[in-house]
Amino acid sequence: MKVLDNTLRASLAHIINCIVCLGIKVITGDDEMKKALITGITGQDGSYLAELLLDKGYKVYGLKRRSATPNLENINHLMNEIEIISGDLLDLPSLVNAIKISDPDEIYNLGAQSFVTSSWAQSIYTGQATGIGVTNMLEAIMLTKPETRFYQASSSEMFGKVLEIPQKETTPFYPRSPYAVAKVYGHWITVNYRESYNIYACSGILFNHESPRRGIEFVTRKVTDAVAKIKLGLQKELRLGNLDAKRDWGYAGDYVKAMWLMLQQDKPDDYVIATGKTHSVKELVETAFEYVGLDWQKYVVQDPTLMRPAEVDLLLGTPQKAQEKLGWKPQVSFEQLIHMMIDSDLKKLNLKI
């Protein structure tokens, strides 16, 4: 029997050597698949990030709040590849449980009340979900798995009434909405836990980033959806607020790559992620209508009721630090982004007609 055991061991060793010679990776207990937990996985950024991590061989878990009508549109195509865990950023025990289940190497906190306009009507909830929710997740990490690497989704809205152009990592914050104020809290509590407890925690200060998966309430998607409907004769006008507001718009698919890169560095840090170019809402409208061969001035109505109580006039970021330290650069231009979104909206609407 002993001779047989030795023969089997020798045969197994020979097979492994052959596999190694052929360049085939052997998965062992010491070479396990990396695991990631994403809050806000059903949103635009969460879905693109899940795709990216799956492509890189991660086991992906998503934290999702229970709702009467689950919104899984962005991740329906991924449901067989990811695992959903029930939880809420306002419920610390559920976060502890989620970390115990997923045992993550990385946590990406993308969950929030993320619509600026709604933050005035839901200021307390926005403060809790977008601000205090970050503390809850950091506490859950400290209680459960302190070695986990943490990414916090900060926002260019924190710069608000900008004190410097362009905005960079050291530019002072001047938030102009309850959403932005909550994001400032989430940003600084992340820095505080990093410096106080020596945990690996990063914040990505992401400027506006869009895609066909963007919620209809956001101005870019509101415009592209309306342009598609007007082109197909399903809508007669587009009502907008401040046409002069300027934003630094990029593609969400590019921006999630920066999130991942931040957690692969030797030391945690904070980074501005932006294109370095700014466009007005008027330019957005012109680009969108021109793409379908229509004159925007015949369809756009400026509506004073859609103005914000406190407007953010100009956001323009510099991605220099991200380019130098992460090797990150945006790949999709402003025009390509708008065309991509209109094509997607036209396709969706044509399927319904």
Side-chain angles (χ1 to χ4, degrees):
M1 193 61 130
K2 194 169 185 180
V3 174
L4 182 59
D5 287 346
N6 289 335
T7 302
L8 288 171
R9 288 194 186 96
S11 298
L12 182 59
H14 176 69
I15 292 169
I16 291 174
N17 284 333
C18 289
I19 292 172
V20 171
C21 289
L22 291 171
I24 302 173
K25 187 175 181 181
V26 180
I27 303 298
T28 69
D30 297 322
D31 190 14
E32 294 179 348
M33 177 186 296
K34 290 183 77 172
K35 298 183 288 291
L37 174 64
I38 304 172
T39 72
I41 195 169
T42 60
Q44 168 188 255
D45 290 7
S47 62
Y48 280 112
L49 179 61
E51 288 176 349
L52 175 71
L53 296 178
L54 287 169
D55 285 344
K56 292 185 178 296
Y58 281 65
K59 169 65 178 176
V60 176
Y61 297 83
L63 187 79
K64 186 183 180 303
R65 284 186 303 136
R66 186 204 169 276
S67 58
T69 54
N71 178 18
L72 302 174
E73 181 182 357
N74 288 333
I75 59 170
N76 264 329
H77 63 297
L78 302 175
M79 291 303 288
N80 291 331
E81 301 178 74
I82 62 178
E83 185 171 329
I84 299 296
I85 302 172
S86 180
D88 194 312
L89 287 171
L90 302 184
D91 183 49
L92 178 58
S94 74
L95 301 182
V96 169
N97 183 58
I99 295 175
K100 286 180 178 178
I101 292 172
S102 59
D103 187 31
D105 300 287
E106 300 167 3
I107 292 177
Y108 296 85
N109 185 40
L110 312 183
Q113 191 301 99
S114 58
F115 189 42
V116 175
T117 302
S118 294
S119 72
W120 276 282
Q122 302 178 53
S123 57
I124 294 175
Y125 172 71
T126 300
Q128 292 171 335
T130 308
I132 299 300
V134 185
T135 309
N136 286 338
M137 182 57 83
L138 288 165
E139 275 296 307
I141 290 172
M142 292 296 300
L143 291 168
T144 314
K145 193 178 180 184
E147 67 272 24
T148 304
R149 295 192 170 198
F150 175 74
Y151 171 84
Q152 165 59 17
S154 289
S155 168
S156 60
E157 288 286 333
M158 301 187 304
F159 294 121
K161 190 175 181 179
V162 298
L163 301 177
E164 180 180 27
I165 299 173
Q167 294 89 58
K168 54 182 181 287
E169 291 79 6
T170 56
T171 301
F173 300 136
Y174 196 141
R176 297 270 282 172
S177 68
Y179 167 80
V181 172
K183 279 293 186 183
V184 170
Y185 174 89
H187 179 87
W188 281 118
I189 200 66
T190 300
V191 173
N192 187 263
Y193 270 67
R194 179 173 71 214
E195 295 178 349
S196 300
Y197 301 114
N198 198 34
I199 66 172
Y200 195 108
C202 297
S203 285
I205 307 173
L206 271 58
F207 279 64
N208 294 67
H209 47 289
E210 319 297 324
S211 77
R213 300 177 192 175
R214 185 50 124 172
I216 197 70
E217 68 271 22
F218 290 85
V219 67
T220 46
R221 183 71 196 292
K222 180 179 179 180
V223 168
T224 62
D225 176 73
V227 167
K229 287 177 178 174
I230 290 170
K231 180 64 177 178
L232 296 173
L234 303 174
Q235 186 170 318
K236 293 182 178 180
E237 66 177 22
L238 168 60
R239 305 185 76 84
L240 295 170
N242 185 6
L243 296 178
D244 296 321
K246 294 181 177 180
R247 295 291 183 271
D248 185 328
W249 276 299
Y251 172 50
D254 287 339
Y255 283 39
V256 298
K257 295 174 185 175
M259 299 177 188
W260 176 78
L261 284 168
M262 289 179 209
L263 297 195
Q264 311 314 308
Q265 306 306 304
D266 291 336
K267 294 182 179 179
D269 205 347
D270 305 322
Y271 298 87
V272 161
I273 304 300
T275 69
K277 298 178 182 179
T278 189
H279 301 273
S280 67
V281 175
K282 182 181 176 182
E283 288 178 78
L284 163 65
V285 168
E286 289 174 335
T287 301
F289 276 94
E290 183 181 356
Y291 184 57
V292 297
L294 297 176
D295 180 0
W296 71 274
Q297 296 183 77
K298 294 180 179 179
Y299 303 98
V300 174
V301 177
Q302 194 163 20
D303 187 344
T305 65
L306 297 177
M307 299 288 190
R308 292 181 181 181
E311 185 57 78
V312 175
D313 297 314
L314 169 64
L315 291 175
L316 172 62
T318 173
Q320 183 177 350
K321 181 178 176 182
Q323 290 175 353
E324 292 175 354
K325 294 194 173 185
L326 304 178
W328 177 87
K329 287 185 179 180
Q331 302 298 315
V332 177
S333 71
F334 173 73
E335 291 77 15
Q336 289 172 327
L337 171 63
I338 302 308
H339 296 172
M340 178 199 306
M341 294 174 69
I342 292 173
D343 286 341
S344 174
D345 284 325
L346 282 169
K347 183 178 179 181
K348 288 178 182 177
L349 290 168
N350 275 315
L351 289 173
K352 292 180 180 179
I353 294 175

